[in-house]
């Protein structure tokens, strides 16, 4: 994330202090030109269409992640709604590779604050504590 206090280094330190492994994957981020276009036109439909096209060029990385992951994984999202976050597209792309269904979780930080979301990839079994975060 490019939001202050939620960047990869701050987030890495916080989750690793809690005993959770953090892995940043820059190639899964939205390219700058696409983020800039979204800021200009606010058209999420076009953004997600083009992000999906970008993600098809990252199949080798998605396959590598799916092969190397062990335990529970969370894709963290800062957006108010996972419908407006590219991580939901990543989760959907991973379904056929890991045979797990994403569960979109909401976390209310405080009644007066916005709701934050995370995506947890889950097999339908009971959900233990997340062991790694992407």
């Amino acid at each position: 994330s490019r939001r202050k206090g939620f960047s990869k280094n701050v987030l890495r330190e916080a989750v690793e202090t809690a005993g959770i492994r953090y892995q940043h994957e820059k190639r899964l981020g939205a390219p700058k030109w696409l983020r800039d276009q979204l800021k200009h036109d606010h058209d999420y439909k076009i953004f997600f269409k083009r992000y999906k096209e970008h993600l098809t060029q990252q199949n080798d990385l998605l396959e590598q992640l799916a092969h190397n992951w062990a335990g529970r994984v969370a894709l963290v999202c800062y957006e108010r709604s996972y419908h407006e976050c590219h991580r939901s597209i990543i989760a959907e792309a991973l379904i056929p590779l890991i045979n797990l269904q994403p569960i979109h979780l909401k976390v209310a930080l405080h009644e007066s604050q916005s709701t934050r979301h995370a995506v947890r990839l889950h097999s339908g079994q009971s959900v233990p504590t997340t062991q790694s975060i992407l």
Side-chain angles (χ1 to χ4, degrees), residues 5-131:
F6 206 70
S7 65
K8 67 180 177 186
N9 294 328
V10 173
L11 182 59
R12 175 190 314 273
E13 184 178 320
V15 300
E16 288 183 351
T17 298
I20 300 170
R21 185 175 68 87
Y22 175 86
Q23 182 174 342
H24 176 77
E25 292 296 342
K26 185 176 182 176
R27 288 176 41 198
L28 296 181
K32 182 176 181 345
W33 68 267
L34 188 52
R35 294 190 315 269
D36 290 345
Q37 180 181 340
L38 181 62
K39 286 178 189 175
H40 175 73
D41 63 18
H42 305 283
D43 190 331
Y44 279 92
K45 186 175 180 178
I46 290 175
F47 172 81
F48 284 127
K49 178 181 183 284
R50 293 201 173 133
Y51 181 74
K52 285 178 184 181
E53 292 167 0
H54 165 75
L55 200 57
T56 63
Q57 299 171 16
Q58 310 307 322
N59 281 334
D60 61 325
L61 176 58
L62 292 172
E63 289 175 8
Q64 176 189 4
L65 291 171
H67 179 74
N68 292 332
W69 279 345
R72 301 292 179 208
V73 175
L75 305 177
V76 179
C77 175
Y78 189 86
E79 301 297 333
R80 287 189 174 125
S81 170
Y82 70 88
H83 298 290
E84 295 178 351
C85 181
H86 72 285
R87 287 172 187 85
S88 62
I89 305 298
I90 296 168
E92 294 298 320
L94 286 167
I95 291 172
L97 299 174
I98 59 177
N99 200 27
L100 298 176
Q101 187 63 37
I103 298 173
H104 299 279
L105 306 172
K106 296 191 287 188
V107 179
L109 300 176
H110 187 272
E111 288 181 20
S112 65
Q113 293 180 332
S114 301
T115 301
R116 300 294 181 232
H117 296 264
V119 175
R120 186 185 320 214
L121 300 171
H122 174 52
S123 64
Q125 303 165 353
S126 62
V127 182
T129 304
T130 299
Q131 298 167 345

